[in-house]
Amino acid sequence: METKAAKLYENYVFDLYGTLVDIHTKEWDSEVWEKLALFYGYYGALYTPGELEESYQTIIKGRESVKKSELKAQPQYAHEAFPEIQIEKVFGELFEKKGVQADEALSIHAGQFFRVLSTEYVRLYEGVPEMLQAIHAKGKKVYLLSNAQRIFTEYEMKLLDISKYFDGILISSEYGTRKPDIRFYEILLSKYDLKPEDCIMIGNDVANDIHGAKAVGMDTYYIHSNISPECKGTPDATYYQMEMDIAKVCSRLGLS
């Protein structure tokens, strides 16, 4: 319940976007695709903005479909598959469709250019560094489990200067699967030799952060932020709060 005080945990696992980082993007803005088409044209890959956007969506859907089939084919796995692709390969394939051979560096550069074009802002929620510092001050560990693309997130975390607070960082594009797939949670537990009962997952998405973590035996803390998906009724979480207030999170977690 919302007023319930949390116990101290050994490990605090955070989602990133909408939990620690406030971000607003506009991927489908026509001006983004106009400028990205211009960028591709510089390298001889000639697209109209509409053609580029359509090709981008088609490639993503195709790669996700293939990846999902691969995940579902794994033996002794009965859960729903949630595939994650590497977005830089999509940007590379967009060059290839026009007969241009792009190396990995150019593919990554194209993806990052797209991210910059489509990002209106990216910033920490107030109090985030202090909260992460307080967890370490208690002798506990901090981990990140994020549905994200490494070529975006790694650099945004450097920009925001928060990578230093984490004892481990897992970004879904590096592992081919994403929350709420229990495989992603199990990778975290196995990689750092964590016990689920010693962990709490803190996130702003009921389906991805709460249901996924509960499935592997973690306690959960739901925060309804400005970019949370719609949440109807009471969140099925160990603890929850229906507004973004990091000071309140710290108080509830016994960190302040």
Side-chain angles (χ1 to χ4, degrees):
M1 59 188 297
E2 189 163 10
T3 57
K4 181 179 178 182
K7 68 179 185 180
L8 276 177
Y9 294 83
E10 293 300 315
N11 308 295
Y12 294 77
V13 185
F14 287 92
D15 170 56
L16 186 64
Y17 299 108
T19 302
L20 302 176
V21 172
D22 187 8
I23 189 170
H24 187 264
T25 59
K26 50 176 184 177
E27 288 90 348
W28 313 122
D29 188 291
S30 60
E31 187 177 3
V32 170
W33 295 98
E34 289 168 7
K35 292 184 176 180
L36 189 63
L38 183 62
F39 177 88
Y40 270 81
Y42 283 172
Y43 293 90
L46 304 179
Y47 284 96
T48 66
E51 180 190 9
L52 182 59
E53 181 180 0
E54 183 178 356
S55 295
Y56 173 81
Q57 294 179 6
T58 299
I59 293 170
I60 287 177
K61 290 177 182 178
R63 285 181 173 269
E64 286 180 343
S65 178
V66 170
K67 189 67 178 178
K68 187 168 187 175
S69 296
E70 292 173 352
L71 290 175
K72 291 174 69 176
Q74 292 182 12
Q76 298 180 330
Y77 188 79
H79 299 278
E80 174 67 15
F82 291 88
E84 184 70 279
I85 62 172
Q86 292 181 314
I87 201 69
E88 61 266 34
K89 293 183 178 180
V90 174
F91 288 101
E93 189 171 338
L94 286 168
F95 282 110
E96 293 171 7
K97 283 176 66 71
K98 293 296 183 175
V100 177
Q101 294 300 312
D103 60 15
E104 184 180 26
L106 179 56
S107 299
I108 290 173
H109 186 46
Q112 291 175 333
F113 182 60
F114 169 76
R115 181 68 161 186
V116 170
L117 287 175
S118 60
T119 300
E120 289 196 334
Y121 62 78
V122 56
R123 59 201 180 199
L124 295 176
Y125 289 109
E126 183 178 356
V128 164
E130 293 81 3
M131 174 178 63
L132 300 179
Q133 290 169 6
I135 294 172
H136 282 298
K138 295 285 187 180
K140 311 305 181 181
K141 292 189 175 181
V142 181
Y143 297 93
L144 182 74
L145 193 71
S146 178
N147 287 355
Q149 291 293 325
R150 184 192 61 80
I151 68 166
F152 303 156
T153 299
E154 180 179 314
Y155 294 87
E156 288 166 356
M157 291 181 71
K158 288 179 182 177
L159 172 69
L160 298 169
D161 196 28
I162 60 169
S163 301
K164 62 189 178 186
Y165 296 116
F166 293 93
D167 297 285
I169 296 174
L170 273 69
I171 298 173
S172 59
S173 67
E174 296 183 283
Y175 296 93
T177 187
R178 58 185 170 85
K179 300 175 293 185
D181 198 320
I182 66 170
R183 266 175 293 211
F184 198 24
Y185 287 91
E186 289 172 343
I187 289 169
L188 171 74
L189 296 172
S190 175
K191 183 177 178 69
Y192 297 103
D193 194 25
L194 308 179
K195 297 179 180 179
E197 60 269 24
D198 293 335
C199 302
I200 184 168
M201 176 72 205
I202 303 164
N204 75 307
D205 187 310
V206 171
N208 291 336
D209 301 318
I210 306 307
H211 293 168
K214 287 186 67 177
V216 294
M218 290 184 186
D219 279 358
T220 56
Y221 194 132
Y222 172 76
I223 305 168
H224 190 79
S225 73
N226 57 314
I227 57 176
S228 291
E230 183 180 1
C231 178
K232 296 181 179 179
T234 301
D236 186 21
T238 314
Y239 318 99
Y240 70 91
Q241 63 185 61
M242 300 309 292
E243 72 283 340
M244 170 50 70
D245 185 336
I246 295 297
K248 186 173 182 179
V249 175
C250 290
S251 178
R252 296 277 302 284
L253 291 176
L255 301 172
S256 58

